[in-house]
Amino acid sequence: PGLAEKLAHFAGQQSMAAETSKLLGKAGRFYPDVAAHGTTWVCCNASVTPRLQTGPMCGLVALAMGSTALHTLKHGTAPTDDDPGPKGEVDPISARLLEAGRDKGLTLQGEIFAAQSIARLAEEELGLAAVVVDDVDLQTVARHVCSGGLAIVPYDAGPNHEPELLNGQKAHWALIRGVGVRACGMEDALEQGNFENIGDAMWLAKSSTEGASEMLTGLLDSVPEEAVLLFAQHGKSRHEAAWPSKALFASNANLNTVDPKRLETGPSGEAAFVIPNADDLKDIRRKAVLLS
């Protein structure tokens, strides 16, 4: 890479370090129970360009963000048709997914109520590898993300879009882009070159570092689920979120029935959304889509 590319990469790393440090500081205040499990944050965090959804397009927007992030990671640049666009407008990648989803009978307005639909669009329209995981758990998602992949997880969104237990009434999709683990006594190992110190007792994995991935996945075996945060991006906010992993998977497991308002029909009896199983959201409950 030339000087311009090197400078851009360095600037991106600096920006990611500052963003992650700020996120961890906030998470430590909001989730003291997580912070109490250790003295040091050890984390990985992928670079993701946020984009806002228009209408019920949270799943498609999460997929568009994930596709762009993986393309940039693999090729060093964003796709040529990537443009998050201004608020209120559908970006080109999400628009292409919406058109394809309608053609395939997967959606009407951009809503997605099946993990398999996300995977199908990822593979057929974006050329990604996509695996639907049943009975999803922290280990599966976190290990995939720590190894350079991304995950799209459905959950019930609360007032601030955080995971809640609402029986599926506020089903939403989020892109999981990073993992934060609270640990003890790791400083000597962290200083060996695979991690960057980004603040007081905060360490961020350097991109594309195999040693960092191995250390993080090893940590996941030795700490309780309560000591793990997941870093998320979703279509309702430009800001990255950090959620306790236990809260996210509990919310995912409680996706049972759709909001009755989404079952309302038009004047001619036409449906407003494509919902495969409105009485039982089994197509998204306990599921996630792993992207690579």
Side-chain angles (χ1 to χ4, degrees):
L3 178 60
E5 288 79 5
K6 289 181 179 179
L7 289 174
H9 176 75
F10 177 76
Q13 287 290 98
Q14 294 297 103
S15 175
M16 176 58 63
E19 179 181 344
T20 306
S21 176
K22 182 178 179 181
L23 188 67
L24 289 172
K26 183 185 296 185
R29 295 191 298 273
F30 278 107
Y31 306 118
D33 290 345
V34 178
H37 282 277
T39 56
T40 303
W41 286 112
V42 186
C43 56
C44 65
N45 199 7
S47 178
V48 173
T49 301
R51 60 190 72 202
L52 298 177
Q53 67 189 73
T54 299
M57 293 179 61
C58 50
L60 300 184
V61 166
L63 179 54
M65 288 191 289
S67 172
T68 299
L70 288 171
H71 187 284
T72 303
L73 183 64
K74 293 175 183 177
H75 304 287
T77 59
T80 54
D81 62 346
D82 179 55
D83 179 8
K87 184 177 181 180
E89 294 186 14
V90 181
D91 66 272
I93 297 179
S94 297
R96 177 153 55 94
L97 291 171
L98 175 59
E99 182 179 2
R102 285 171 170 165
D103 291 343
K104 299 175 191 294
L106 305 177
T107 185
L108 289 174
Q109 299 184 51
E111 76 290 341
I112 296 290
F113 280 91
Q116 193 61 53
S117 297
I118 292 281
R120 183 178 173 187
L121 290 170
E123 293 178 337
E124 296 179 2
E125 302 302 321
L126 300 173
L128 298 174
V131 177
V132 175
V133 178
D134 298 316
D135 295 321
V136 66
D137 59 15
L138 170 63
Q139 287 285 339
T140 302
V141 169
R143 285 176 176 276
H144 183 70
V145 172
C146 288
S147 298
L150 298 170
I152 299 180
V153 179
Y155 71 102
D156 256 335
N160 293 315
H161 316 301
E162 75 282 5
E164 290 282 0
L165 302 178
L166 302 171
N167 204 41
Q169 303 293 291
K170 296 294 182 181
H172 191 42
W173 293 90
L175 177 71
I176 304 304
R177 54 182 284 185
V179 179
V181 181
R182 193 70 168 168
C184 295
M186 299 295 300
E187 285 75 9
D188 290 343
L190 292 167
E191 290 174 354
Q192 299 306 310
N194 294 322
F195 289 82
E196 175 187 2
N197 189 310
I198 60 171
D200 184 22
M202 299 177 186
W203 296 80
L204 176 65
K206 295 180 179 177
S207 59
S208 304
T209 303
E210 185 175 345
S213 173
E214 291 176 354
M215 181 177 291
L216 271 165
T217 54
L219 273 177
L220 289 168
D221 288 330
S222 62
V223 300
E225 185 176 0
E226 291 81 1
V228 181
L229 291 174
L230 294 175
F231 303 152
Q233 200 78 47
H234 59 84
K236 289 288 189 178
S237 175
R238 293 191 183 277
H239 299 291
E240 183 180 6
W243 300 324
S245 60
K246 194 169 185 178
L248 178 62
F249 292 112
S251 181
N252 172 273
N254 120 116
L255 296 171
N256 294 314
T257 59
V258 72
D259 182 351
K261 294 179 180 179
R262 298 184 180 184
L263 299 177
E264 296 175 358
T265 58
S268 302
E270 70 275 13
F273 300 108
V274 174
I275 306 175
N277 294 284
D279 295 332
D280 181 7
L281 294 177
K282 61 183 180 180
D283 295 301
I284 58 175
R285 185 175 61 250
R286 297 186 183 277
K287 297 185 186 295
V289 182
L290 306 184
L291 301 177
S292 55

